[in-house]
Amino acid sequence: MSSPSPSSSVRVRLVTPPLGPAARQGRFGYGEPCPGHEGLRGADTGAWAGRTLDEVAAEDPEGIRRWLTDPSFAPPGGESLAALTARVGAHLAGLAPGTHRAVVEQAVVRAAVVHALELPAAAFWRLDVRPGTETALTGRAGRWNLLVGQPQPQPQPQP
């Protein structure tokens, strides 16, 4: 895995936006761009983009089964989860020292965590990423760390 050099420190704040109408309906995305971070654009779901999981499953149940179980399987005209993870990982490896903030799709956060922690590809589907949250990764000395458990804001006393 390619990571920051021992003398550098990189912090990446991956922010997921609130769910839009299409995501609330369970529609596949269109690989939304991530300004300033081309490698963190959303997953390319090819011919499935804009359709719901149920719609695609009714037409191509074997394709959905493979997509959920085989990280190297790509939707027609799209990219595989393995390719998404490799693309996101290459982008992370190329970041300059400092703090970076990117608004990304939930799949990009999953791919970043799988890459950074060197998890097996099957872990992608085991990571739940909530909309409207931030996930932070830090890199130094040839490895990445996941920042988990940031403190909650303290409630303000009522007058």
Side-chain angles (χ1 to χ4, degrees):
M1 170 180 89
S2 189
S3 296
S5 70
S7 62
S8 66
S9 177
V10 177
R11 178 175 289 237
V12 184
R13 296 178 183 276
L14 302 170
V15 179
T16 56
L19 289 181
R24 280 195 294 276
Q25 295 171 357
R27 295 193 181 281
F28 286 96
Y30 288 93
E32 294 298 320
C34 181
H37 296 280
E38 173 57 26
L40 300 181
R41 72 185 177 281
D44 180 355
T45 57
W48 295 355
R51 300 174 66 200
T52 67
L53 180 63
D54 289 342
E55 290 168 349
V56 175
E59 181 181 299
D60 186 7
E62 178 61 14
I64 292 294
R65 185 197 66 72
R66 289 189 60 206
W67 181 67
L68 293 170
T69 60
D70 178 359
S72 65
F73 176 81
E79 74 183 318
S80 68
L81 297 178
L84 170 66
T85 301
R87 171 171 51 83
V88 169
H91 185 84
L92 294 176
L95 289 173
T99 298
H100 304 269
R101 182 180 185 276
V103 178
V104 299
E105 294 179 4
Q106 292 162 302
V108 172
V109 175
R110 287 181 175 134
V113 171
V114 166
H115 169 80
L117 300 183
E118 301 179 36
L119 299 173
F124 181 93
W125 294 115
R126 304 294 302 242
L127 298 170
D128 291 331
V129 180
R130 292 182 180 223
T133 62
E134 179 182 294
T135 300
L137 296 169
T138 57
R140 183 194 323 238
R143 66 183 189 151
W144 287 98
N145 293 321
L146 173 65
L147 179 59
V148 179
Q150 296 189 58
Q152 295 276 332
Q154 295 299 314
Q156 298 298 317
Q158 299 295 321

